[in-house]
Amino acid sequence: MVIENNKLADIYDLAKQRDPHKPEFHQALSELLISLQPVIEKNPELCTRDILERLIEPERLIQFRVAWRDRNCETRVNRGYRVQFNSAIGPYKGGLRFHPSVNSSVIKFLGFEQTFKNSLTGLPLGSAKGGSDFSPRGKTDDEIMSFCQSFMSELFRHIGASTDIPAGDIGVGNREIGYLYGEYCRLMNISEGTMTGKGVFAGGSMMRTEATGYGLCYFAEEMLTRLRNTSLKDKKVVVSGSGNVAIYAIEKAQEFGAKVLTASDSGGYIIDEEGIDLPLLKQIKEKERLRIKEYVVRKPSAVYYEGCEGIWSVPCDVVMPCATQNEINKQDMEILLRNGAIALLEGSNMSCTYDAVKMISQEDILYVPSKAANAGGVAVSGLEMSQNAGHIFWSRDRVDKMLQDIMRNIFDNCMKASEEYGHAGNLLMGANIAGYIKVAKAMKWQGVI
Ligand code: NDP
């Protein structure tokens, strides 16, 4: 995987010159540019008027101070971010991440990726991302509330139901959305669904909690059926993470008849050869908010390993990384391939390092990049926006059906683009090309802005 086209290579150099300290952004950009080589050759008009140069530059990047008080009344200061990346096809939309690793490079790569993911959903959604280097882990409820209120006391100026609609991501679940949205409504004296992922009792959509993990499995099922004449049934699946995406990927994979062997958190991972006991996992992670090692205390037949490195050496058919970026490197990929994995779908954003993606693209394993595989979450957020705008509420079955249709359409569009541009069946190329073309057409149509 090398950027051969001179124009695309120049764009990559420009981005590196402008932002020399943003490695995650460079990685996401290079993966996109390599896929765009056939587009620039076949449809050069989709790269005129500096569309690419404009596309890699966020429309707005906001950084702000978040001061709050902890349980001892000590003042704490964190950094808040919101990148409003691209509004060519709709209002800015993307999650908020609270994690100590958050910095402007992480936020910029996430916002950039969101542009193509949101385009792939087929919904009119522009892109954004935000968050803070605040860690919710070990904090009391009151501390979380205090932080969220302070964070929103700046963010509220920049968002709105038709402008920018944040949602959750790592460290921002239903509890944090509640505190953030409550503060937004208080400050604005308005209740108009400016955030998604809300409780269903407060304008949230059915199925938003499950959407990313379920969508991942709907994509997997469609792909395995259509490209390998098989399904998730009886497959051994390795899942990382034990947060929102992981838990609902495990739930749907099990419903499809797969045996899920693993789950993890940043401390370590568990292997349960009998298949993950989902009610137990939910009790530990969702209700009691404990560490994953508690699982083996309550189910001694499972095994716990300190550290996350070894999880990819567990033999499996299907791989679903659902924790964080760059969690699979080249060495992990070698092991997965040696052990005979047939498919890898990225539940987490940019789960694989550049070298791992390079290796996978030369092998006969089905690989789905996050912008396609985990788009179910933002898609149902889009459906939540529609319900809020129309002051209506759709049933779980209706939203589930729409999610399935959206994931099937994403698969179809990725396949179609991969065929049209000479890389039939390469879903990495297909996702990048299909995601790009829609945004590029909109930017061209709107002129230089
Ligand atoms: P959660 O906060 O609910 O869960 C994250 C999980 O990943 C936790 O188990 C966490 O462990 C683990 N984790 C986080 N950082 C690391 C790390 N550096 N090393 C090892 N493990 C880590 O987040 P989500 O499930 O919402 O998000 C997971 C991924 O999915 C992210 O990449 C996110 O961007 C992506 N995503 C999420 C969507 C959503 O709808 N929620 C939509 C689309 C993508 P610990 O508790 O120990 O930190």
Side-chain angles (χ1 to χ4, degrees), residues 97 99 117 137 169-171 208 212 241-246 264-267 291 308 322-324 347-349 374 377:
R97 177 178 291 193
H99 193 273
K117 181 188 314 197
R137 190 180 326 151
D169 191 79
I170 291 179
R208 176 60 189 89
T212 311
S242 51
N244 173 261
V245 181
S264 68
D265 59 24
S266 53
R291 308 304 293 157
C308 299
C322 296
T324 191
S348 51
N349 281 312
N374 71 22

Side-chain angles (χ1 to χ4, degrees), residues 280-307:
L280 175 59
L281 184 69
K282 283 185 175 179
Q283 177 67 29
I284 291 169
K285 297 307 280 188
E286 289 187 333
K287 297 212 171 75
E288 298 180 41
R289 296 180 187 273
L290 300 173
R291 308 304 293 157
I292 195 79
K293 65 176 156 197
E294 181 63 21
Y295 186 96
V296 298
V297 175
R298 300 186 196 184
K299 189 157 185 232
S301 60
V303 191
Y304 174 73
Y305 294 89
E306 201 73 39

